[in-house]
Amino acid sequence: MAVETISLPSIDLANFPAELGKLTVVATGLGCFRIINHGIPVEFLTQTKAAASSFSKLPDDIKLRNRDVIYGSGFSSSRDFMPPSESFGVYDATSSADVVAFCSSMEASPHQREVLSTYASKVHVLVVDIASKVAEGLGLVGCSFQDWPCNMRLNVYHLKEESIGRQAVHAHTDSGLVTLLLEGEIGGLEISDETGKLLAVDPQPGTFLCFIGDVGKAWSNGRLRNVQHRVVCTKAAPRVSIAFIMVSPRDGYVEPQAALVDEEHPRLYQSFDITEYRKLRITDDSLVGNALPLWQADE
């Protein structure tokens, strides 16, 4: 059965503070929205995707240098399954040293190094701005996200004719506060709305998608919605996406904001360590997108 296509709400960064109310509605409702007028040129985004794609052509011994720093932060491959895909990770893309170390391990060219370093720098500024606006919409003025580490995942899907109709990425929520996604060119992304209905999202070149993640829901005491999403193969063609995930406070300690806990909104979640949380999600597939209930606050 065909999945209905949704036109995601667009948040225009050139139209603030007028867009703040709209941003708050979609962040607490659907949990996913499109970012436009973000100031990063389309041509540069294309160059970044080309750099990401080039790493999938490297010999396996070089790819395997991209090791985990924490669970799921390094190279991963599903080449033994259909559709095959590969993913590369920069543990903390807010650190220029981490980006340079990744490029060195992949034997990146000077041009590739410059592109990835510039991309990480620009998107970090963008994700900090988005997170600050989301917090402001909840009434939390002056929250600083500058020091929050951000993972960057470079995803390359090798989609074949026999892959059409299969899931390239199973349904999941992201683990962090927010994710900025430079989406695949050929579509296949589907999100789940508030009723659980799957909706297809057509790509729009030059924009970013923003997803609220599990930390976002816990940190906001349930105000923000962690949206479930997946990728389905719809066409036999290469597909590249880049996820930039703002994870948690630098100390890894996640807890509901005190200003969002009151008689009308009792505390929903216990505090937790993000490393333990992500390890549990990754080592138990059944908990990807379903782990937060394990940290529900005692009644």
Side-chain angles (χ1 to χ4, degrees), residues 224-284:
L224 301 175
R225 178 175 182 261
N226 54 338
V227 61
Q228 193 170 76
H229 50 286
R230 68 177 187 175
V231 177
V232 175
C233 177
T234 59
K235 184 179 180 181
R239 186 181 190 276
V240 179
S241 67
I242 303 176
F244 201 93
I245 308 157
M246 177 176 278
V247 183
S248 70
R250 178 67 60 179
D251 63 6
Y253 187 72
V254 179
E255 62 179 341
Q257 296 300 285
L260 300 178
V261 178
D262 53 37
E263 287 188 10
E264 197 173 329
H265 303 93
R267 184 180 175 119
L268 297 180
Y269 299 102
Q270 303 173 43
S271 304
F272 58 87
D273 177 82
I274 189 62
T275 301
E276 293 180 5
Y277 184 75
R278 293 181 69 177
K279 180 179 177 180
L280 181 64
R281 277 176 42 116
I282 291 170
T283 54
D284 187 338

Side-chain angles (χ1 to χ4, degrees), residues 4 25 49 64 66 69-70 76 106 129 147 159 171 183 187-188 200 210 215-216 225 235 260 273 279 283 296:
E4 178 185 339
V25 168
K49 279 190 174 183
L64 291 171
N66 181 211
V69 175
I70 59 173
S76 64
M106 295 293 101
D129 184 39
D147 192 46
L159 305 180
E183 59 193 323
C210 183
V215 167
R225 178 175 182 261
K235 184 179 180 181
L260 300 178
D273 177 82
K279 180 179 177 180
T283 54
Q296 285 182 336

Side-chain angles (χ1 to χ4, degrees), residues 83 85 157 166-172 229-233 239:
S85 65
Y157 304 91
R166 293 175 179 259
Q167 291 188 68
V169 178
H170 294 295
H172 67 287
H229 50 286
R230 68 177 187 175
V231 177
V232 175
C233 177
R239 186 181 190 276

Side-chain angles (χ1 to χ4, degrees), residues 10-298:
S10 292
I11 301 301
D12 186 352
L13 292 186
N15 191 32
F16 270 80
E19 293 274 280
L20 184 59
K22 180 181 177 183
L23 171 63
T24 305
V25 168
V26 295
T28 57
L30 187 61
C32 179
F33 48 94
R34 191 175 296 281
I35 302 295
I36 62 174
N37 289 328
H38 47 72
I40 304 177
V42 176
E43 297 78 8
F44 177 71
L45 298 179
T46 301
Q47 290 180 44
T48 309
K49 279 190 174 183
S53 180
S54 69
F55 296 131
S56 71
K57 301 177 177 66
L58 293 170
D60 285 353
D61 62 324
I62 295 180
K63 294 176 185 177
L64 291 171
R65 296 174 187 169
N66 181 211
R67 296 185 175 92
D68 283 350
V69 175
I70 59 173
Y71 281 88
S73 65
F75 173 70
S76 64
S77 173
S78 65
R79 284 175 292 176
D80 294 333
F81 303 93
M82 292 299 298
S85 65
E86 295 177 306
S87 182
F88 303 84
V90 179
Y91 167 62
D92 185 5
T94 71
S95 164
S96 58
D98 272 17
V99 178
V100 169
F102 169 79
C103 290
S104 295
S105 69
M106 295 293 101
E107 300 183 1
S109 69
H111 173 71
Q112 290 171 325
R113 289 169 183 255
E114 177 64 24
V115 167
L116 285 181
S117 295
T118 302
Y119 181 85
S121 177
K122 288 181 177 294
V123 179
H124 179 227
V125 171
L126 181 59
V127 76
V128 167
D129 184 39
I130 297 299
S132 299
K133 286 177 166 56
V134 169
E136 183 181 353
L138 297 177
L140 302 173
V141 180
C143 288
S144 175
F145 300 95
Q146 187 66 36
D147 192 46
W148 286 41
C150 298
N151 299 156
M152 184 164 67
R153 300 295 305 177
L154 314 175
N155 307 308
V156 183
Y157 304 91
H158 308 285
L159 305 180
K160 309 294 183 182
E161 196 69 35
E162 58 268 30
S163 306
I164 293 177
R166 293 175 179 259
Q167 291 188 68
V169 178
H170 294 295
H172 67 287
T173 56
D174 289 346
S175 60
L177 181 80
V178 295
T179 298
L180 290 189
L181 180 72
L182 185 59
E183 59 193 323
E185 308 87 343
I186 63 172
L189 176 67
E190 296 178 355
I191 67 169
S192 179
D193 70 8
E194 296 95 323
T195 70
K197 181 181 179 180
L198 284 171
L199 300 168
V201 178
D202 283 340
Q204 291 186 18
T207 68
F208 286 89
L209 294 183
C210 183
F211 299 98
I212 303 297
D214 290 353
V215 167
K217 185 170 183 176
W219 180 88
S220 67
N221 198 38
R223 304 290 216 286
L224 301 175
R225 178 175 182 261
N226 54 338
V227 61
Q228 193 170 76
H229 50 286
R230 68 177 187 175
V231 177
V232 175
C233 177
T234 59
K235 184 179 180 181
R239 186 181 190 276
V240 179
S241 67
I242 303 176
F244 201 93
I245 308 157
M246 177 176 278
V247 183
S248 70
R250 178 67 60 179
D251 63 6
Y253 187 72
V254 179
E255 62 179 341
Q257 296 300 285
L260 300 178
V261 178
D262 53 37
E263 287 188 10
E264 197 173 329
H265 303 93
R267 184 180 175 119
L268 297 180
Y269 299 102
Q270 303 173 43
S271 304
F272 58 87
D273 177 82
I274 189 62
T275 301
E276 293 180 5
Y277 184 75
R278 293 181 69 177
K279 180 179 177 180
L280 181 64
R281 277 176 42 116
I282 291 170
T283 54
D284 187 338
D285 287 343
S286 68
L287 294 178
V288 174
N290 300 294
L292 266 185
L294 298 178
W295 276 269
Q296 285 182 336
D298 297 331

